Amino acid sequence: MPPALVSILIPAYNAAQWIVETLHSALSQTHPNCEIIVVDDGSRDDTLERAKAFAANASAARIRIKSQKNAGASAARNHALRLAQGDFIQFLDADDLLAPGKIGLQLAALKKHPLLTLAMGTWGRFTTDPTQTVWAEHEAVYHARSGVEFLQLKLETHSMIQPGAWLVPRTLCERVAPWEESLSLNDDGEYFARVALQAEHLLHVPEARVHYRSAISSSLSRRRSPRALDSLYRSEQLTISHLLAANDSPRSCTAAALGWRRLAGELYPEAADLARRARQAARELGAENDTPIGVPNWVSYAARLVGWPNARRLQFLRNRFS
């Protein structure tokens, strides 16, 4: 029986600086049966040309390069997903890197578990040199064994799984709606919330690793535009609604309230109205204290002196001019 086919799906936008390194990491997987699909999302640089040149030189590899008008990363992922033929799906951003054994280790672990098991790997941040990756070894969500528990831990602790760290059975992708294309910031958080809730079991494979390139000025995760902050709000709103629809236990409600309070801290002061709505949502879930959380200690101290809104404004000004 041939080894399972894994589809590595790479949305790319203005990623010329990194796309070859990312493709090389996909092509270097120890698992012998992978297809690689790149969807260029209307890049304004030569991402598409570099990807095509790499694919031409790697003639023995199963690499397909497609392009579309600029529609966002989620739309590019959906495009790639429609083309994918694999039994398993590996999403990979165009500036991140897979460790060589990442997919093989997860597939080996999945053989010992139910069909609809969703595999997590370990992720870590790097800036330019992947050998200097700082690994997130102790994320609370690694311990989750169900989708409900994953979302509870995520909201309680603000821990995360970087999207490239997942390996998804195709059957799970088929059980959920496509990526939400109206979202930009945190679209992966919303999508994988739905996927995790459909899984029968979650499994962390510590040795399966993905390098997450950080501190890029053009990265979506660093954007603070009104559109990006609105996406952050809506993605969290959807994620919480997914959890509470699946499980409205006291723990889930408390975790959701914590998520809203943390979101309020992230949104203020640039999106003050959304921050107010987040605090109101926390109160509606029974939170006696709706004060935003997740801010540095000095901000919390300042809030006791000048009030939370003024303290958060001070933090915003400090970050802007430092």
Side-chain angles (χ1 to χ4, degrees):
M1 184 175 180
L5 176 63
V6 177
S7 298
I8 304 175
L9 310 184
I10 305 175
Y13 177 72
N14 290 351
Q17 185 177 353
W18 309 288
I19 189 63
V20 169
E21 189 178 7
T22 297
L23 283 169
H24 181 73
S25 80
L27 196 59
S28 299
Q29 289 302 294
T30 55
H31 180 68
N33 196 18
C34 295
E35 65 170 2
I36 302 167
I37 302 173
V38 178
V39 175
D40 180 76
D41 185 40
S43 293
R44 292 174 293 176
D45 63 9
D46 61 344
T47 298
L48 182 59
E49 290 74 19
R50 292 193 183 197
K52 286 181 175 179
F54 182 92
N57 291 329
S59 57
R62 300 185 62 181
I63 303 179
R64 283 183 282 170
I65 311 296
K66 301 294 181 179
S67 62
Q68 64 179 31
K69 292 182 180 179
N70 180 247
S74 289
R77 293 186 186 101
N78 284 335
H79 186 168
L81 193 54
R82 288 191 294 270
L83 299 172
Q85 300 176 6
D87 306 297
F88 293 87
I89 304 298
Q90 168 70 64
F91 292 102
L92 179 64
D93 287 349
D95 52 0
D96 297 334
L97 306 171
L98 300 175
K102 192 270 184 187
I103 289 173
L105 288 164
Q106 287 179 310
L107 286 173
L110 287 172
K111 289 181 180 179
K112 306 172 186 177
H113 290 272
L115 180 63
L116 295 180
T117 296
L118 178 61
M120 299 178 275
T122 300
W123 63 276
R125 296 182 186 272
F126 77 105
T127 303
T128 56
D129 182 358
T131 66
Q132 301 300 311
T133 297
V134 178
W135 296 105
E137 303 277 10
H138 304 294
E139 294 291 284
V141 288
Y142 292 156
H143 300 287
R145 294 297 173 261
S146 70
V148 167
E149 186 182 16
F150 171 78
L151 292 175
Q152 289 169 338
L153 288 168
K154 180 176 183 288
L155 292 165
E156 289 166 351
T157 67
H158 200 42
S159 60
M160 60 171 272
I161 297 290
Q162 200 272 344
W166 299 102
L167 185 66
V168 190
R170 184 188 186 93
T171 307
L172 283 180
C173 292
E174 293 172 345
R175 287 191 170 198
V176 302
W179 288 69
E180 177 51 66
E181 296 182 10
S182 68
L183 297 176
S184 54
L185 195 59
N186 199 36
D187 54 346
D188 59 293
E190 190 277 332
Y191 178 76
F192 284 108
R194 291 186 278 122
V195 172
L197 287 170
Q198 287 295 321
E200 292 181 1
H201 184 70
L202 269 63
L203 173 68
H204 180 222
V205 185
E207 301 82 6
R209 300 192 170 226
V210 61
H211 303 262
Y212 175 31
R213 195 184 300 267
S214 298
I216 301 173
S217 60
S218 61
S219 172
L220 276 174
S221 63
R222 293 171 66 88
R223 294 184 185 177
R224 304 290 295 178
S225 68
R227 179 173 180 267
L229 294 176
D230 179 70
S231 176
L232 181 62
Y233 178 89
R234 290 191 299 113
S235 66
E236 192 76 345
Q237 183 183 44
L238 287 168
T239 296
I240 288 172
S241 69
H242 299 328
L243 170 62
L244 296 181
N247 179 279
D248 61 355
S249 66
R251 181 182 176 183
S252 291
C253 291
T254 300
L258 287 172
W260 280 122
R261 291 174 61 194
R262 186 174 288 105
L263 180 65
E266 292 185 45
L267 292 170
Y268 196 89
E270 301 102 313
D273 183 61
L274 292 178
R276 178 191 58 78
R277 288 162 60 183
R279 296 177 72 182
Q280 176 62 32
R283 289 193 294 272
E284 290 174 356
L285 285 167
E288 296 181 3
N289 180 2
D290 68 345
T291 303
I293 57 177
V295 296
N297 289 335
W298 74 265
V299 177
S300 297
Y301 177 76
R304 293 195 291 270
L305 301 176
V306 299
W308 181 80
N310 289 328
R312 191 66 173 88
R313 289 190 189 97
L314 288 173
Q315 184 193 17
F316 174 72
L317 291 171
R318 177 184 174 183
N319 291 345
R320 185 174 183 180
F321 294 107
S322 61

